[in-house]
Amino acid sequence: GAGVSQSPSNKVTEKGKDVELRCDPISGHTALYWYRQSLGQGLEFLIYFQGNSAPDKSGLPSDRFSAERTGGSVSTLTIQRTQQEDSAVYLCASSLVGNQPQHFGDGTRLSIL
Amino acid sequence: GQQLNQSPQSMFIQEGEDVSMNCTSSSIFNTWLWYKQDPGEGPVLLIALYKAGELTSNGRLTAQFGITRKDSFLNISASIPSDVGIYFCAGSDPSGGYNKLIFGAGTRLAVHP
């Protein structure tokens, strides 16, 4: 499809496990963002990638969170040693360039038992 | 940090009624965006505003970028059942050099046929 694709759509894991969430941005979009949405809340910025520039990691809540973007396209958000408070919907967005409107995927719903 | 207050938190209206919701911020934004989110899906962009005082329409939706750059409103005219969902405002932090969006907590709209 032409939109932002995220996988898996749902992930249930035990506390303490590591998880990887994947995002395929819209083809040709150079900017990629990760957000977290807790139940009943708005979106919280996590990290921003623009081309080959160093990412803006200012929104990552702890050093257990990291993200990579390989080849300027696909991105992976990794959460190590998951905690129950990590349970949320993780949304990825992309835009043509950094100052253009962002288009969102449908998110990965992460549940930590 | 910057905060964005969105109101009302929820609305329950009759089909055909007009709806108004707004966002205010503690500091200046250089871009305001309005998104709608349906259950299990990512937010979908409705309207983007880039200039103070700008008034933009998209079908039955109208949004304005406040003159002070600290507020924005969204109006929906003649509501229909498919307008049900959560509406988010988002502002762009001008110091970031890109659309590092700060989101409101959302307005939950229910439309009674």
Side-chain angles (χ1 to χ4, degrees):
Chain A
V4 176
S5 178
Q6 291 188 245
S7 61
S9 55
N10 287 282
K11 177 73 175 177
V12 181
T13 193
E14 294 180 345
K15 176 183 172 181
K17 300 286 189 182
D18 297 351
V19 295
E20 285 190 352
L21 313 179
R22 177 187 169 103
C23 173
D24 283 272
I26 294 173
S27 178
H29 280 195
T30 64
L32 186 147
Y33 313 76
W34 283 97
Y35 292 87
R36 178 169 69 176
Q37 185 176 28
S38 300
L39 186 63
Q41 300 296 314
L43 282 69
E44 173 191 6
F45 168 81
L46 296 177
I47 189 169
Y48 162 73
F49 294 92
Q50 172 62 63
N52 295 320
S53 302
D56 178 351
K57 304 179 183 180
S58 60
L60 295 179
S62 78
D63 59 8
R64 296 187 295 106
F65 288 72
S66 62
E68 291 185 342
R69 188 178 186 193
T70 54
S73 181
V74 172
S75 177
T76 301
L77 177 69
T78 301
I79 308 174
Q80 296 178 309
R81 305 181 301 282
T82 52
Q83 303 294 314
Q84 287 188 331
E85 64 261 28
D86 299 335
S87 296
V89 176
Y90 289 83
L91 289 154
C92 175
S94 70
S95 62
L96 195 59
V97 291
N99 62 356
Q100 293 298 305
Q102 296 168 32
H103 300 270
F104 286 82
D106 288 338
T108 294
R109 183 174 299 277
L110 178 63
S111 299
I112 309 300
L113 302 179
Chain B
Q2 289 181 312
Q3 292 191 343
L4 209 160
N5 296 310
Q6 185 170 350
S7 64
Q9 286 186 327
S10 60
M11 302 183 72
F12 186 79
I13 61 170
Q14 292 289 125
E15 183 177 359
E17 289 184 356
D18 297 343
V19 172
S20 184
M21 58 192 79
N22 69 87
C23 276
T24 59
S25 71
S26 57
S27 54
I28 290 172
F29 287 121
N30 64 1
T31 300
W32 283 94
L33 303 166
W34 285 92
Y35 286 87
K36 178 178 183 250
Q37 186 176 31
D38 292 327
E41 299 183 7
V44 174
L45 181 66
L46 299 175
I47 292 180
L49 303 160
Y50 299 104
K51 187 176 178 182
E54 180 181 355
L55 182 71
T56 297
S57 292
N58 178 8
R60 294 179 295 106
L61 277 61
T62 301
Q64 184 159 30
F65 190 147
I67 289 292
T68 65
R69 296 168 64 192
K70 292 184 178 182
D71 63 299
S72 177
F73 71 75
L74 174 70
N75 288 341
I76 305 173
S77 62
S79 58
I80 59 178
S82 62
D83 290 335
V84 166
I86 304 176
Y87 292 80
F88 291 100
C89 60
S92 174
D93 177 357
S95 65
Y98 64 90
N99 274 338
K100 180 178 179 178
L101 297 179
I102 298 173
F103 280 80
T107 294
R108 287 151 183 77
L109 178 64
V111 179
H112 187 73

